[in-house]
Amino acid sequence: MKAILGTIDDITVLHAENGHQRLLVSCSPACVVPDYTPPPAWLHDARISVERDVDDPREVGEPGDNILLTPDESQPWLCPLRVTPAVVYGHCPDTILVTMHWWETNNTPPPVTVQANGRSISSAFTRHDDSFQAEIRLADFFPHEPTLPVHLRATCHGITAVCHILPADHAFTDTVVLPDGEMCHLENSWYRVDITPNTGGGAIYTWQEKGRDVDHFARQDNRIANPLEVAGHLDGYQIHMKPASHLKKVTVANRGAWREDRSSHLRIDGSIREAVDLTTSVDYTLFDAVPLLCWQRTFSLHSQTPPVAADTLQVPIEQAWPFGTNFRTSWLVDRSETSGSRIITAYRGHLITIRHTQTYRTVHGMEWRANAGWFLIEHPLRREWMLYCYDRSRPPHLHCWLEPNVFVLAPAWPMRTLCAGTSIGITLAASVGECAGADIHGAWIGCRTIRRAGGLHCAVIARFTGQWQHGTAVITVGSSQQTCPLQRFHVRGVGDIAYGLADFPYGRMDEPFHITVPNIPQRGEG
Amino acid sequence: MTAFSPCTFSSDWENFVVDHLDRCVPAWRLQGFAGELNAELGLPITVDKESLEFPLGINTTFAQFWDRIKRTTDRASELLHDFQLRLFPAAAHPVIRTFNSSHIHVGTLTDESTGIYLENHLLDFIPAFAALAANSPASQGMVGEFKSYRVHTNAHYLIQPSSWRDPYVSQKIWGTDASPKLEVAPTQEIRITDCASSRRFLAELATFVTAFVQHEAKAVQPAPPDPQAYRDYLVNRWCAARDGMQATFRRHGRTITAAEMLAEMLDTCTQELQALGVNTHDLVLVNAMIDKRICQADLVLRLAERYPDPYALASVYGKLLRDWEWFDDYLLQATPLDPRPALSEQDIIMEHVKAIGEGTYYYRTRDVMNFPAAAADAVVEEAINAGLIRREYYSERGVVLSRIPSGTAGEG
């Protein structure tokens, strides 16, 4: 997603025929696009070579000009040290492979040092094609099978990469370092969720359904983009007349993850660089038993800055700030001539569906508020659904639009007046799955995962538009069918959510999956 | 008798400026450069959005205009180079949202009423200028559906299609395809044209537009509104935005390619061209574009095929734009393109249906070809009658339209 913009040092013609040329371009990294940040420290004196096929050499330019690498070309330089595998579930592999994409052409990299279980072992690299590799035996660190999770930290030339060996069969939370950066990882038997601790003030970066091994926030390959702008969930706010801001300017002050009461918790606190003294915090909870993630985002205004001059007349309105909360979630768009990504909700006895076909044409819901307490987001062609639940008594206005290859949902809550010493927030609960239903009476999500003992564990998460409804869901996997009473689950700040669970000891993921919820028919593929 | 006296012309040419990291420089940072150029060149050079805007003064000949273009851009480039900046003369940028134009001002017009009649009269011809100038096929991540996203999106409301106006019952308006403007420079402003990337093409385009508008002004008469001709203008405008010089237009119940229409237009204004100091054959690029049905957007699209990432395209495109003859060189050796077929009535309906997903606001259908209410309603009714869409009324949400999936017509 990120790419190196380099300054060209030298251009060599490798091949020329019929006006077509293959060029070898040598460059020095100048910045990282799209954020235009300085290149990593290890690239300050590096020289990078790439090849370009051109019809016109002016496309490349001349020494002193820029050349933009692709994300695929940039990745080995931005993350030169890699551990394979980066994440393993359930057991220690015999070995891990550390690969260094070394930038000094005349030297070999220094040895890599791997640390785990209180031990530190160095190993020399050997050349392998255009990189250097070192194979590390895990038996040297763990004389017997360790208790998971464990992390093997490889360091070379001040660069670190980590191999995470994570538990396969129980819920946990931990910090992981992935090629995309450091993530706070929440996991239960249904989902793997990665939260960015340092960017976006705690945004949801990936949300993986374990049963199907599907990431609902998958991103387009080899395209330059800010990852959270093309997929993921970002909370946001609006202060005075500025457009919505999505926590890009948060400095994280504190974070921590823990297990408590059969659920995984994560808290991130940060301060926001704004005209006022503003802080934010988010508390995530992923429940062990049900496929449901909840979080509460709060914003607190502490004092007005800069201090008011002594000779300035003070009036109450100068101490007040209009403040609104919102969020922005984006997905890779799902699209055919007559179907594709859509948002579904209920409003005054109508089932409302919004499916865009025109890029950058926003649907604004300024005249009505989405008071059903839920949005169902549907990508029917790839069979992915996401259900958002929120407080019905103070609902948001709906905003949504298409960007090139991206589908965006951005609800905004009505603004309030915030004074120093006060806080404001929203609570959300969400679920993703492989089937769903929606009607004026409510919406539901169906999800299944593989049981440790074999077979499948299936769940339905439902949100009713009106009052709580007693009922029984029928879950079918292949030719097996089970009924499960819908049970009430109260999420503070959101309200009642219904869930039903069923085990299918002989069920398989490749069998058809169907759920019946009273009054809320299952959605089709169209 | 002419509406323009004395005969003058100019262009307000907007150019992006990018820094050494390929980022567009905001207008406020460009104000100093604009001020220096203003003082040095004696031209009212200013800034607009992410652009340096070059109003090229009052010109009476092609040679004068061409000289000003070269002097202005050469000096601007020198000033910018000191800060590792460079001009990015294009109507759209592959990454950002802003559009640029080379508005062409035909003067000197002192009678707004005549200008309004002339605007009505020019509706037949304005799409041809849009086709010739099309140069915005990559904008804000969108690539290739239109050769002029700027015209198709109305430059995010900075231009709008002309309305059929009567000077006795019309309000002053601003920013249409071809309206009169009597403040600052009293001219008929042909605003539909995309920003030119080639200096030579801008000189030829502005001279051609001026000669043709001055020629048509001689015959302009008050005329009652013609809804069919007006609808054809909007269809042609859409075709010009999509197809550029490959467009085929509707005219008085028949079809004509954009190239054929421009060739006719060029032939009609030979005297006016001579008055501006050129002959028809001196407009080398315009003639080649007519012969080959190629516009500047076609060159950008070729590049976009090889650089699908918008950032990568912007980087390469910016380097090529440094060479003012990039398009000129390409055009002269390029293979001609074929004209695309004219839109049928069924095509028009289907283009409107494409804009309708589910819960689509009624007014989104108006974005498609900018049809006025009666014409847009007629298209929507036809689509409903054909079982392609359904219409719903909500007290809070207004009128919304949804597409009926094929095979379920009649169920909606």
Side-chain angles (χ1 to χ4, degrees), chain A residues 58 66 224 342 348 364, chain B residues 20 319 323 358 361 396:
Chain A
R58 289 176 296 184
N66 288 331
I224 299 170
R342 53 171 73 88
R348 293 194 176 175
H364 295 285
Chain B
H20 71 295
K319 280 186 244 183
D323 188 337
E358 291 159 22
Y361 289 156
E396 288 95 345

Side-chain angles (χ1 to χ4, degrees), chain A residues 191-409:
Chain A
Y191 300 143
R192 295 183 182 121
V193 181
D194 285 319
I195 312 286
T196 58
N198 299 320
T199 55
I204 303 174
Y205 190 84
T206 63
W207 191 328
Q208 196 169 21
E209 231 184 285
K210 288 168 74 171
R212 292 191 298 166
D213 195 20
V214 164
D215 181 5
H216 285 251
F217 292 143
R219 293 165 177 85
Q220 197 175 8
D221 289 337
N222 205 25
R223 283 297 171 102
I224 299 170
N226 183 323
L228 287 169
E229 289 181 1
V230 293
H233 171 101
L234 267 166
D235 290 327
Y237 64 96
Q238 183 178 9
I239 191 164
H240 40 84
M241 293 301 285
K242 281 187 181 176
S245 177
H246 293 105
L247 298 183
K248 291 174 187 166
K249 298 182 289 183
V250 173
T251 304
V252 171
N254 190 21
R255 60 187 161 95
W258 67 96
R259 295 270 311 152
E260 186 178 41
D261 190 22
R262 288 174 295 162
S263 52
S264 298
H265 299 265
L266 169 68
R267 182 183 175 91
I268 294 172
D269 296 322
S271 57
I272 304 173
R273 295 189 300 280
E274 259 295 356
V276 292
D277 185 5
L278 192 65
T279 61
T280 183
S281 68
V282 61
D283 290 278
Y284 283 98
T285 303
L286 182 64
F287 302 99
D288 292 358
V290 290
L292 188 68
L293 178 69
C294 300
W295 65 101
Q296 182 179 50
R297 166 74 63 181
T298 55
F299 298 93
S300 301
L301 180 63
H302 298 281
S303 61
Q304 188 179 354
T305 56
V308 178
D311 58 351
T312 303
L313 191 63
Q314 290 275 328
V315 292
I317 191 61
E318 289 176 2
Q319 302 299 318
W321 292 87
F323 195 91
T325 51
N326 55 63
F327 69 80
R328 179 194 199 276
T329 311
S330 45
W331 299 262
L332 204 55
V333 72
D334 200 18
R335 205 168 183 178
S336 75
E337 191 181 347
T338 56
S339 186
S341 300
R342 53 171 73 88
I343 290 167
I344 304 165
T345 189
Y347 180 72
R348 293 194 176 175
H350 295 280
L351 186 69
I352 292 174
T353 62
I354 296 167
R355 178 173 66 81
H356 295 271
T357 62
Q358 295 168 299
T359 309
Y360 294 121
R361 300 292 192 196
T362 305
V363 168
H364 295 285
M366 294 308 294
E367 307 302 324
W368 60 284
R369 290 165 68 186
N371 58 10
W374 56 268
F375 294 120
L376 181 70
I377 298 89
E378 173 173 276
H379 311 288
L381 306 177
R382 58 176 193 258
R383 300 194 62 76
E384 292 174 21
W385 282 269
M386 182 165 179
L387 178 66
Y388 270 104
C389 305
Y390 50 87
D391 179 19
R392 269 192 289 268
S393 66
R394 192 176 169 80
H397 295 287
L398 174 65
H399 304 272
C400 52
W401 63 89
L402 277 186
E403 294 176 5
N405 299 315
V406 177
F407 180 57
V408 181
L409 165 68

Side-chain angles (χ1 to χ4, degrees), chain A residues 92-222:
Chain A
C92 280
D94 294 336
T95 59
I96 58 172
L97 189 67
V98 183
T99 305
M100 186 63 160
H101 201 85
W102 188 239
W103 51 89
E104 292 183 17
T105 52
N106 298 328
N107 295 318
T108 55
V112 60
T113 301
V114 179
Q115 294 174 295
N117 199 26
R119 299 181 187 191
S120 178
I121 298 173
S122 293
S123 181
F125 283 110
T126 55
R127 181 177 278 282
H128 191 271
D129 295 334
D130 60 348
S131 61
F132 292 85
Q133 293 184 342
E135 192 173 71
I136 309 296
R137 282 181 357 112
L138 267 63
D140 295 339
F141 296 89
F142 306 108
H144 49 79
E145 192 70 20
T147 302
L148 303 182
V150 298
H151 311 286
L152 290 105
R153 188 171 295 270
T155 306
C156 177
H157 198 72
I159 307 167
T160 298
V162 185
C163 170
H164 302 281
I165 305 168
L166 305 176
D169 50 11
H170 65 263
F172 73 99
T173 176
D174 208 340
T175 298
V176 296
V177 180
L178 302 174
D180 288 347
E182 189 178 8
M183 301 284 169
C184 294
H185 186 84
L186 300 170
E187 182 157 347
N188 62 9
S189 58
W190 312 91
Y191 300 143
R192 295 183 182 121
V193 181
D194 285 319
I195 312 286
T196 58
N198 299 320
T199 55
I204 303 174
Y205 190 84
T206 63
W207 191 328
Q208 196 169 21
E209 231 184 285
K210 288 168 74 171
R212 292 191 298 166
D213 195 20
V214 164
D215 181 5
H216 285 251
F217 292 143
R219 293 165 177 85
Q220 197 175 8
D221 289 337
N222 205 25

Side-chain angles (χ1 to χ4, degrees), chain B residues 10-15 17 27 30-48 51-58 67-77 79-80 87 184:
Chain B
S10 191
S11 176
D12 295 341
W13 188 19
E14 299 160 344
N15 277 233
V17 175
L30 299 173
Q31 284 175 314
F33 299 105
E36 287 189 48
L37 289 166
N38 195 323
E40 272 190 45
L41 301 171
L43 297 171
I45 291 169
T46 184
V47 298
D48 195 357
S51 306
L52 260 181
E53 181 172 342
F54 301 135
L56 292 164
I58 299 169
D67 180 61
R68 275 189 170 149
I69 288 175
K70 287 188 290 187
R71 280 198 300 126
T72 304
T73 48
D74 286 345
R75 183 63 186 131
S77 297
L79 286 175
L80 294 169
L87 294 171
V184 189

Side-chain angles (χ1 to χ4, degrees), chain A residues 53-70:
Chain A
D53 289 305
V54 296
D55 295 329
D56 181 342
R58 289 176 296 184
E59 290 174 29
V60 169
E62 55 195 39
D65 286 341
N66 288 331
I67 184 162
L68 186 59
L69 278 62
T70 66

